[in-house]
């Protein structure tokens, strides 16, 4: 079915979101500050608007503690790092802040954005709902946060464009365009384990999106990556384990195994073929989501250990 003019316009906006695809390297803490500022933006804000960031608010949203020294180092580094924005007509270097002011003894800081960055941030915010911004704060991997930005651009379309793998690495600052710094995760297995698989697991577990990816090859070389995106119900507790059809049950069990990072084919098949293990998987996911089981670092490993599979 051909797309109408409105759909085409929306598609163009999503594909040309300059800040989402800009080349920059922010830590998880810095991305939390960026997302928090995005949540505060309003279209009628004036150029001199200052945004208050309360440390306790960030801690409550992320579940992580940030002290003043960490935040000061984070904003100082953000202030010195530039966004590289490029299209066919122009290459731009843009900085985030006009100023950052820490109010001593009050538990908050005030940020004033540079006038050049503001239009790009408004455009970026258009890709998110308030829920999604708060979901992004729950992601602990900086690469998961960046890939969540990308996926959110394409959530109404179902899949992203195919990103050239070298461009993708440059976007995430895994590779220095000048070649002065060593490339990170040059081996494709490292890229999958340290960037892509972690991002997929965290996004699927903590946000409104369900994503997957496909690496593209030309001959024996990997040349690109495409992400597949679908929306899911936010903050929905998993079905406990009974009263669902077998096909649906198996599909949900596969999703749970994926979210836990259990990807070994033989191990997945062993679990899916044994009804007791599937029952235990649903029980475990329910307890995990309701905080009856604590496993922040490696929930998949804990499940396997509990079932005598590791």
């Amino acid at each position: 079915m051909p797309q109408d003019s409105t759909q085409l316009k929306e598609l163009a906006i999503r594909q040309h979101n300059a800040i989402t695809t800009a080349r920059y390297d922010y830590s998880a803490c810095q991305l939390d500050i960026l997302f928090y500022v995005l949540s505060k933006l309003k279209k009628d804000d004036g150029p001199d608007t200052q945004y208050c960031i309360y440390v306790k608010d960030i801690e409550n949203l992320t579940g992580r503690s940030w002290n003043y020294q960490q935040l000061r180092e984070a904003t100082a580094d953000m202030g010195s790092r530039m966004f590289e924005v490029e299209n066919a007509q122009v290459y731009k270097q843009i900085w985030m802040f006009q100023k950052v002011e820490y109010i001593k003894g009050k538990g908050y800081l005030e940020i004033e954005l540079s006038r050049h960055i503001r239009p790009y941030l408004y455009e970026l915010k258009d890709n998110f709902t308030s829920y999604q911004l708060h979901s992004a704060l729950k992601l602990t991997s900086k690469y998961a946060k960046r890939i969540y930005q990308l996926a959110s651009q394409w959530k109404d379309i179902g899949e992203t464009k195919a990103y050239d793998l070298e461009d993708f690495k440059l976007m995430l600052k895994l590779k220095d365009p000048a070649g002065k710094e060593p490339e990170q995760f040059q081996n494709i297995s490292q890229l999958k384990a340290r960037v892509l698989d972690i991002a997929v697991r965290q996004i699927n577990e903590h946000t409104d999106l369900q994503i997957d990816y496909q690496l593209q090859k030309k001959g024996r070389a990997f040349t690109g990556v495409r992400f597949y995106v679908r929306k899911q119900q936010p903050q929905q507790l998993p079905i406990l384990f009974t009263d669902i059809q077998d096909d649906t049950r198996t599909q949900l069990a596969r999703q749970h195994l994926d979210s836990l990072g259990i990807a070994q084919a033989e191990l997945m098949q062993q679990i899916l073929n044994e009804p007791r293990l599937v029952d235990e998987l649903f029980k475990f996911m329910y307890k995990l989501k309701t905080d009856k089981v604590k496993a922040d670092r490696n929930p998949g490993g804990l499940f396997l250990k509990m079932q005598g599979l590791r």
Side-chain angles (χ1 to χ4, degrees), residues 80-112:
S80 65
R81 291 180 186 233
M82 65 184 178
F83 288 84
E84 298 178 89
V85 180
E86 187 172 8
N87 58 33
Q89 289 77 39
V90 68
Y91 165 77
K92 294 183 182 181
Q93 296 176 338
I94 306 174
W95 284 263
M96 175 71 72
F97 303 133
Q98 183 70 29
K99 71 167 184 176
V100 179
E101 189 170 328
Y102 284 80
I103 313 302
K104 295 182 178 180
K106 299 294 185 180
Y108 71 92
L109 55 147
E110 292 181 345
I111 286 176
E112 186 176 327

Side-chain angles (χ1 to χ4, degrees), residues 297-310:
R297 291 188 177 180
N298 185 11
L302 177 59
F303 171 75
L304 295 176
K305 185 176 180 181
M306 290 170 65
Q307 304 309 317
L309 299 172
R310 173 175 290 182

Side-chain angles (χ1 to χ4, degrees), residues 1-16 157:
M1 177 183 290
Q3 293 172 303
D4 62 28
S5 60
T6 301
Q7 289 174 314
L8 289 172
K9 182 180 179 183
E10 289 175 352
L11 177 59
I13 290 171
R14 292 184 190 283
Q15 287 180 328
H16 293 89
I157 299 164

Side-chain angles (χ1 to χ4, degrees), residues 5 13 33 52 56 121 145 149 151 165 169-170 173 181 202 207 218 223 240-242 245 247 250 257 264 294 305 308:
S5 60
I13 290 171
I33 293 171
C52 289
K56 285 296 181 186
L121 295 183
K145 292 175 186 287
Q149 286 178 280
L165 200 56
K169 290 177 180 179
L170 288 170
K173 285 289 187 178
E181 299 291 334
Q202 289 193 7
T207 78
K218 188 173 183 179
T223 59
L240 187 51
F241 61 93
T242 57
Q245 297 296 318
D247 287 348
T250 301
L257 291 173
Q264 185 181 344
K294 300 290 186 182
K305 185 176 180 181

Side-chain angles (χ1 to χ4, degrees), residues 234-264:
Q235 293 185 320
Q236 183 178 20
L237 287 177
I239 299 170
L240 187 51
F241 61 93
T242 57
D243 299 325
I244 52 179
Q245 297 296 318
D246 284 346
D247 287 348
T248 304
R249 179 183 175 85
T250 301
Q251 184 179 5
L252 286 170
R254 286 185 184 278
Q255 291 177 9
H256 289 329
L257 291 173
D258 285 342
S259 71
L260 292 172
I262 300 173
Q264 185 181 344

